[in-house]
Amino acid sequence: MKKYLIRNCELANFDTMTTSTREILVEGERISKIAEKIEAPEGCEIIDAKGMIAMPSFADCHAHLTQSVLKGPMDDYPITTWLVRLFGIEDIMSPEENYYSSLLGCLTALRCGTTVINDMAGWDILDPVIQAVHDSKIRATIGISTTDVPENEATPIISIDEALRRSEVVYNKVHNNGKMRASVAPAGLPAVSGRMAQELKKFANERGLVFHTHLGEGKMETNNVAKAYGLGGEAEALEQLGILDKNTLLAHSIWLSDHELDIIAASGANPVHCPCTNLKIADGIPKIAAMVKRGINVTIGCDGEASSSNRDMIREARLAAYLQKGWTLDPCVLDAGTVYKMMTINGMRALGYDGLGELKEGNIADFILVDMDHDIALINPDFKLNNFLYAGDGRNVDTVFLGGEILLRHGKFTFIDEEEIVAKATPVIRGLNKKIMNM
Ligand SMILES: [Zn+2]
């Protein structure tokens, strides 16, 4: 059993936003001890983390990994054009392009301190995504987006039986395969019938899976759903269908009435805030501060990079905080400690990862060490925790532990050659760009 003793790190406390100097003993996949001083057991490797912040790693609760190389070619289009263009590009992407796109997404996430990704993939690209997740060693919950209502001419619709068949295939291939888990992931009510949502929820409940969907992202689409159901909005419709509970993740959750916020609070469902996407493709701004006030378990996701251009949870979370402060004209809402919890324990709880999300004895050893002492823009030994969120970025992560294994050390991957990946991925991206230009 591999053992590590981390010496002299600054253990983060998100309640007080302070740190205290501690030692952490990792034995096998778990954190076995945290104390001021720990006697090094025989055969353990000692890691001097002097001055580095130690904190739980992040859960990125909404992603479309295969869009990772679409930063650039999808910029600055009106939303309807954007969606049709995205479907068009996804149609022409080869398995190799999907693989490298997903791999780069997973590795960027890891590089920036994320150890869990909740991915909404596509049926045709499932195998490259699984391979990329496997090769990157990251934890991922994977579901395939399903639709049976044509939202526009490019929406790929399937029958409910076919959606269930595909979900069964995903479940058998993915669930508990290495560090992967399966989910069900109907795209969202504008493109999904109530019956499909209910059948998939039943399928998920029978197998203990999370239900991952988009909610209230587009204003017009939300209004259409409200009209079709004769209700106030999409969350009211999901409640009526019996979908909302603590195993449901609701990406975006923008166009919701206050009554719907109360419904979500009572149900225990988990909104996933994706601020980069919400601003970049002009979705709107969700009432995150009001959700937190109601005790809703809000999480954060970087979404697909075709819309967010980001896979760094620190950048995503900072924007989340700034947005609510500016929008509510109250600098006290979404304070740093609350935002750190949204990125860690809230996300792990929403995805059902017991033993993750808090750096404490007995938990799984998924955590990060953050170096704030060697970046000239950030040096301030007394405010490292604040400054990581408000002034730093994921590149300040020095070390990533995942299940007791060191995957990143001094900012370098320990198990994969980053330069080799870049050399292989660059011509693949070039080739895809050419295909997109000729579309
Ligand atoms: Zn999405």
Side-chain angles (χ1 to χ4, degrees):
M1 182 169 57
K2 190 82 189 154
K3 296 175 199 169
Y4 295 97
L5 178 59
I6 295 113
R7 291 222 142 118
N8 304 314
C9 63
E10 295 295 316
L11 184 67
N13 182 325
F14 300 147
D15 288 320
T16 57
M17 280 301 288
T18 57
T19 63
S20 36
T21 309
R22 289 287 181 274
E23 299 194 344
I24 302 170
L25 182 63
V26 176
E27 295 185 282
E29 65 164 14
R30 291 200 181 258
I31 299 158
S32 54
K33 196 170 182 187
I34 300 176
E36 280 182 35
K37 206 77 206 149
I38 299 174
E39 190 75 32
E42 206 175 309
C44 91
E45 189 179 320
I46 296 188
I47 291 182
D48 186 10
K50 190 168 170 34
M52 288 193 201
I53 313 167
M55 67 168 69
S57 52
F58 309 134
D60 182 342
C61 287
H62 181 61
H64 305 277
L65 283 167
T66 55
Q67 295 175 15
S68 302
V69 298
L70 299 182
K71 292 184 285 288
M74 293 295 295
D75 292 352
D76 307 333
Y77 285 95
I79 187 65
T80 313
T81 317
W82 182 90
L83 202 58
V84 171
R85 184 173 166 81
L86 178 68
F87 288 143
I89 293 174
E90 286 180 342
D91 267 353
I92 60 165
M93 281 176 77
S94 69
E96 188 188 36
E97 288 157 355
N98 277 307
Y99 170 76
Y100 276 105
S101 196
S102 304
L103 183 67
L104 294 172
C106 292
L107 292 176
T108 307
L110 262 185
R111 173 66 192 86
C112 297
T114 295
T115 59
V116 169
I117 291 185
N118 184 32
D119 191 54
M120 190 184 281
W123 173 246
D124 298 329
I125 56 173
L126 182 62
D127 289 337
V129 172
I130 290 174
Q131 192 59 49
V133 166
H134 179 265
D135 292 349
S136 74
K137 296 194 166 207
I138 204 162
R139 293 181 202 279
T141 296
I142 300 170
I144 48 157
S145 173
T146 53
T147 49
D148 65 343
V149 176
E151 209 181 344
N152 57 52
E153 78 263 27
T155 311
I157 60 165
I158 55 170
S159 69
I160 294 171
D161 284 347
E162 178 62 10
L164 289 168
R165 187 189 74 78
R166 290 181 181 187
S167 297
E168 187 76 48
V169 172
V170 175
Y171 177 72
N172 290 328
K173 267 193 188 181
V174 169
H175 202 55
N176 293 330
N177 171 2
K179 298 195 186 82
M180 289 179 271
R181 290 182 179 185
S183 70
V184 298
L189 281 192
V192 173
S193 68
R195 240 201 84 215
M196 179 182 266
Q198 284 177 316
E199 290 294 328
L200 286 171
K201 182 66 182 172
K202 193 169 147 235
F203 179 96
N205 285 348
E206 285 166 0
R207 291 159 185 78
L209 311 181
V210 296
F211 183 103
H212 177 201
T213 193
H214 295 101
L215 173 78
E217 181 177 8
K219 189 177 183 183
M220 184 187 74
E221 291 81 358
T222 304
N223 288 339
N224 290 344
V225 171
K227 227 181 270 168
Y229 280 80
L231 294 169
E234 272 185 52
E236 283 190 30
L238 285 183
E239 186 206 25
Q240 194 177 73
L241 294 166
I243 305 294
L244 296 179
D245 60 33
K246 68 176 179 46
N247 300 317
T248 306
L249 286 100
L250 306 166
H252 304 294
S253 297
I254 299 167
W255 299 102
L256 301 172
S257 65
D258 287 348
H259 173 57
E260 288 180 296
L261 297 190
D262 293 337
I263 288 174
I264 290 173
S267 73
N270 312 278
V272 187
H273 184 27
C274 309
C276 285
T277 286
N278 297 165
L279 292 193
K280 188 160 178 268
I281 64 169
D283 288 332
I285 301 171
K287 303 173 198 168
I288 300 300
M291 292 181 194
V292 171
K293 218 173 179 182
R294 282 167 168 79
I296 294 175
N297 189 58
V298 182
T299 68
I300 296 179
C302 296
D303 203 357
E305 293 186 56
S307 55
S308 68
S309 301
N310 181 45
R311 188 101 268 133
D312 175 349
M313 282 287 283
I314 285 289
R315 286 170 55 183
E316 198 76 35
R318 173 163 59 241
L319 186 58
Y322 285 9
L323 204 50
Q324 294 300 308
K325 293 171 193 300
W327 193 43
T328 61
L329 302 180
D330 180 357
C332 304
V333 299
L334 238 55
D335 60 275
T338 301
V339 174
Y340 273 126
K341 287 179 196 170
M342 287 163 62
M343 302 165 73
T344 55
I345 184 69
N346 289 15
M348 300 300 182
R349 190 185 294 141
L351 288 165
Y353 285 94
D354 293 335
L356 291 182
E358 287 179 295
L359 215 177
K360 64 179 189 187
E361 287 180 4
N363 264 11
I364 305 277
D366 276 28
F367 63 93
I368 57 176
L369 301 171
V370 184
D371 181 7
M372 299 289 286
D373 291 339
H374 297 91
D375 183 335
I376 53 167
L378 298 173
I379 299 166
N380 187 331
D382 298 317
F383 290 94
K384 288 176 187 176
L385 198 49
N386 288 76
N387 289 349
F388 180 38
L389 181 69
Y390 286 141
D393 62 51
R395 301 268 155 186
N396 297 115
V397 174
D398 177 273
T399 301
V400 174
F401 272 86
L402 191 155
E405 191 183 349
I406 297 179
L407 298 187
L408 189 86
R409 183 81 181 113
H410 299 317
K412 303 267 178 240
F413 294 106
T414 57
F415 64 100
I416 211 163
D417 184 339
E418 192 173 334
E419 278 179 31
E420 191 188 316
I421 301 280
V422 170
K424 283 182 177 165
T426 304
V428 175
I429 297 170
R430 265 263 153 85
L432 176 62
N433 288 345
K434 261 194 201 135
K435 286 200 294 188
I436 293 172
M437 274 184 262
N438 293 327
M439 251 171 51

